[in-house]
């Protein structure tokens, strides 16, 4: 399999559904019934199976499915002392029927103290067993900013900026360590950008005294501070509109945040384009000539399988704004941003991954 990022046409965003035995092992571990070594053995087996699933589906660059994390942000929360896992402000997720659920976010309550690397174990194991190009996913600084509460966090960090200074420094060190360990593709997950494209959420920021445009510029500044200065390493930015148990929290097209394509240092943009909430492809016209747009056309939120014809038509539409040679294909988001996972089966997940691989092979001629 080619190590040239320009040839990667089929990839996943990050997380995969947790197998039942892994969920059970984690529950036993957290209740003290299973030693850490026992949990690691189950995790290792699950990661091997996840890699094989992607290989068989024809995915060009693979992840470990984020199977060692309790949520997509778990690598950050579990690597440092200082967070209360569920003590932060809650965020509502919804679906088209109006059904809602509330996700309790982490909150920083003490100065962050390093316990272990965020992603080194994930990467070194993936590198040792994959036999394919691999990537690691990390959280954007501005998403981590959501884990600061002016009341609960101020004894640890007087201001959000004090906290973010640590987040940027620690994230930058993690990137340095991953690069030292041979990682050449790091994806930053930035759902906070998704909040900044939603008209209603933008108005909410204004009412609370924050300028959405200034927040976008701040997001760009923080992300660039983390990733710049690593020649030979591919950096991707994933932007979605929320993903939790088949629900979302934002909607709107990418135009309000389209300057991220030009002003950030990312090489690949993994973008959600699976339904009407995503808007059209027109904002892709802002994409510079040296960047790649990975089209998230296959939904992870619903079990229905898209058709090859549908996906090819959508790729043709996107190619009006970005040449075909700078496009790729992926699911729209992870399949399990949290342990619970989206409301689809493992078999449906497999079919969707196979569809991504099959269409990418057909469109770009990759084997």
């Amino acid at each position: 399999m080619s190590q040239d990022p320009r040839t990667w046409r089929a990839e996943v965003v990050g997380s995969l559904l947790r197998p039942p035995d892994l969920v059970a092992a984690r529950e036993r571990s957290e209740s003290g019934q299973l030693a850490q070594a026992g949990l690691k053995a189950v995790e290792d087996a699950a990661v091997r199976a996840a890699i094989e699933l992607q290989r068989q589906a024809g995915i060009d660059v693979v992840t470990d499915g984020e199977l060692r994390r309790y949520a997509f942000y778990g690598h950050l929360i579990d690597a440092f002392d200082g967070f209360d896992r569920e003590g932060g402000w809650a965020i509502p997720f919804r679906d088209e029927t109006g059904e809602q659920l509330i996700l309790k976010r982490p909150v920083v309550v003490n100065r962050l103290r390093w316990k272990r690397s965020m992603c080194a174990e994930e990467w070194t194991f993936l590198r040792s067993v994959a036999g394919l190009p691999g990537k690691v996913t990390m959280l954007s600084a501005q998403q981590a900013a959501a884990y600061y509460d002016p009341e609960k966090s101020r004894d640890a960090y007087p201001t959000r900026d004090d906290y973010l200074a640590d987040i940027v420094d620690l994230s930058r060190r993690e990137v340095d360590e991953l690069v030292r360990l041979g990682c050449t593709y790091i994806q930053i997950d930035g759902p906070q950008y998704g909040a900044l494209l939603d008209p209603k959420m933008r108005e909410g920021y204004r009412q609370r005294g924050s300028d959405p445009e200034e927040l976008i510029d701040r997001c760009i500044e923080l992300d660039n501070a983390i990733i710049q200065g690593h020649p030979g390493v591919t950096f991707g930015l994933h932007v979605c509109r929320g993903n939790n148990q088949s629900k979302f929290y934002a909607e709107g097209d990418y135009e309000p945040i389209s300057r991220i394509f030009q002003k950030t240092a990312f090489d690949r943009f993994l973008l959600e384009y699976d339904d009407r909430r995503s808007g059209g492809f027109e904002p892709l016209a802002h994409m510079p000539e040296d960047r790649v747009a990975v089209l998230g056309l296959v939904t992870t939120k619903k079990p229905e399988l898209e058709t090859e014809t549908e996906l090819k038509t959508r790729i043709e539409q996107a190619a009006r704004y970005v040449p075909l040679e700078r496009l790729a294909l992926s699911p729209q988001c992870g399949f399990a941003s949290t342990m619970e996972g989206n409301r689809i089966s493992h078999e449906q997940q497999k079919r969707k991954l196979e569809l991504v691989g099959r269409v990418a092979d057909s469109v770009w001629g990759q084997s």
Side-chain angles (χ1 to χ4, degrees), residues 68-178:
R68 303 183 194 274
R69 306 181 186 182
Y70 78 93
F72 76 97
Y73 46 78
H75 63 298
L76 171 67
I77 308 305
D78 288 342
F80 299 93
D81 286 324
F83 288 107
D84 177 345
R85 266 198 187 192
E86 296 185 347
W89 60 280
I91 181 170
F93 285 76
R94 65 188 188 277
D95 61 21
E96 292 84 351
T97 70
E99 181 181 342
Q100 287 195 357
L101 63 82
I102 300 297
L103 174 67
K104 293 182 178 179
R105 285 180 165 183
V107 62
V108 61
V109 293
N110 292 299
R111 297 287 298 194
L112 296 183
R113 187 174 64 182
W114 191 90
K115 293 192 296 186
R116 60 170 176 80
S117 168
M118 288 186 257
C119 307
E121 178 187 14
E122 295 176 349
W123 165 248
T124 53
F125 188 83
L126 178 68
R127 180 192 62 187
S128 69
V129 302
L132 291 168
K135 70 175 175 181
V136 170
T137 61
M138 292 178 57
L139 195 68
S140 70
Q142 192 62 26
Q143 181 63 25
Y147 309 150
Y148 181 90
D149 181 277
E151 295 298 323
K152 297 179 179 180
S153 306
R154 64 183 177 186
D155 288 344
Y157 294 96
T159 70
R160 181 177 275 106
D161 283 345
D162 292 328
Y163 162 67
L164 283 174
D166 264 7
I167 289 293
V168 169
D169 181 56
L170 295 168
S171 298
R172 174 82 184 189
R173 291 185 194 181
E174 187 70 17
V175 169
D176 289 342
E177 176 66 2
L178 288 170

Side-chain angles (χ1 to χ4, degrees), residues 27-310:
E27 291 174 349
R28 291 175 59 211
S29 174
E30 291 180 351
S31 66
Q33 300 176 46
L34 179 65
Q36 190 69 10
L39 174 61
K40 293 297 183 186
V42 178
E43 288 176 342
D44 289 353
V47 170
R48 290 178 186 272
I51 293 168
E52 186 59 24
L53 171 67
Q54 293 168 83
R55 184 201 315 277
Q56 292 293 331
I59 303 301
D60 294 323
V61 55
V62 302
T63 75
D64 73 344
E66 298 178 358
L67 299 182
R68 303 183 194 274
R69 306 181 186 182
Y70 78 93
F72 76 97
Y73 46 78
H75 63 298
L76 171 67
I77 308 305
D78 288 342
F80 299 93
D81 286 324
F83 288 107
D84 177 345
R85 266 198 187 192
E86 296 185 347
W89 60 280
I91 181 170
F93 285 76
R94 65 188 188 277
D95 61 21
E96 292 84 351
T97 70
E99 181 181 342
Q100 287 195 357
L101 63 82
I102 300 297
L103 174 67
K104 293 182 178 179
R105 285 180 165 183
V107 62
V108 61
V109 293
N110 292 299
R111 297 287 298 194
L112 296 183
R113 187 174 64 182
W114 191 90
K115 293 192 296 186
R116 60 170 176 80
S117 168
M118 288 186 257
C119 307
E121 178 187 14
E122 295 176 349
W123 165 248
T124 53
F125 188 83
L126 178 68
R127 180 192 62 187
S128 69
V129 302
L132 291 168
K135 70 175 175 181
V136 170
T137 61
M138 292 178 57
L139 195 68
S140 70
Q142 192 62 26
Q143 181 63 25
Y147 309 150
Y148 181 90
D149 181 277
E151 295 298 323
K152 297 179 179 180
S153 306
R154 64 183 177 186
D155 288 344
Y157 294 96
T159 70
R160 181 177 275 106
D161 283 345
D162 292 328
Y163 162 67
L164 283 174
D166 264 7
I167 289 293
V168 169
D169 181 56
L170 295 168
S171 298
R172 174 82 184 189
R173 291 185 194 181
E174 187 70 17
V175 169
D176 289 342
E177 176 66 2
L178 288 170
V179 173
R180 187 186 70 81
L181 292 170
C183 184
T184 59
Y185 186 8
I186 299 171
Q187 174 185 304
I188 303 297
D189 291 324
Q192 189 67 18
Y193 285 108
L196 291 167
L197 59 76
D198 184 294
K200 292 181 180 179
M201 299 184 81
R202 287 170 66 88
E203 181 57 30
Y205 280 116
R206 292 190 188 97
Q207 292 178 4
R208 294 190 296 272
S210 296
D211 182 348
E213 297 305 312
E214 291 180 359
L215 288 174
I216 294 169
D217 290 337
R218 179 64 166 153
C219 290
I220 292 171
E221 177 187 0
L222 293 171
D223 284 334
N224 283 343
I226 291 170
I227 70 173
Q228 281 181 328
H230 295 90
V233 179
T234 297
F235 287 96
L237 175 66
H238 170 60
V239 181
C240 75
R241 297 158 182 81
N243 186 59
N244 184 21
Q245 300 177 63
S246 293
K247 293 177 172 57
F248 57 87
Y249 64 70
E251 54 188 304
D253 67 36
Y254 287 105
E255 186 63 33
I257 63 168
S258 60
R259 63 181 178 275
I260 67 174
F261 302 144
Q262 300 166 324
K263 293 190 174 182
T264 64
F266 293 102
D267 306 288
R268 295 170 76 88
F269 294 90
L270 295 93
L271 303 173
E272 181 180 52
Y273 270 120
D274 64 320
D275 62 19
R276 62 167 185 80
R277 293 183 302 108
S278 307
F281 295 120
E282 290 82 359
L284 296 181
H286 299 285
M287 192 80 62
E289 294 182 357
D290 59 346
R291 313 295 172 91
V292 172
V294 184
L295 305 175
L297 299 177
V298 176
T299 188
T300 66
K301 288 182 167 65
K302 299 177 181 179
E304 292 78 16
L305 189 65
E306 296 82 352
T307 68
E308 291 188 34
T309 299
E310 176 186 355

Side-chain angles (χ1 to χ4, degrees), residues 269 315 363:
F269 294 90
I315 292 169
V363 171

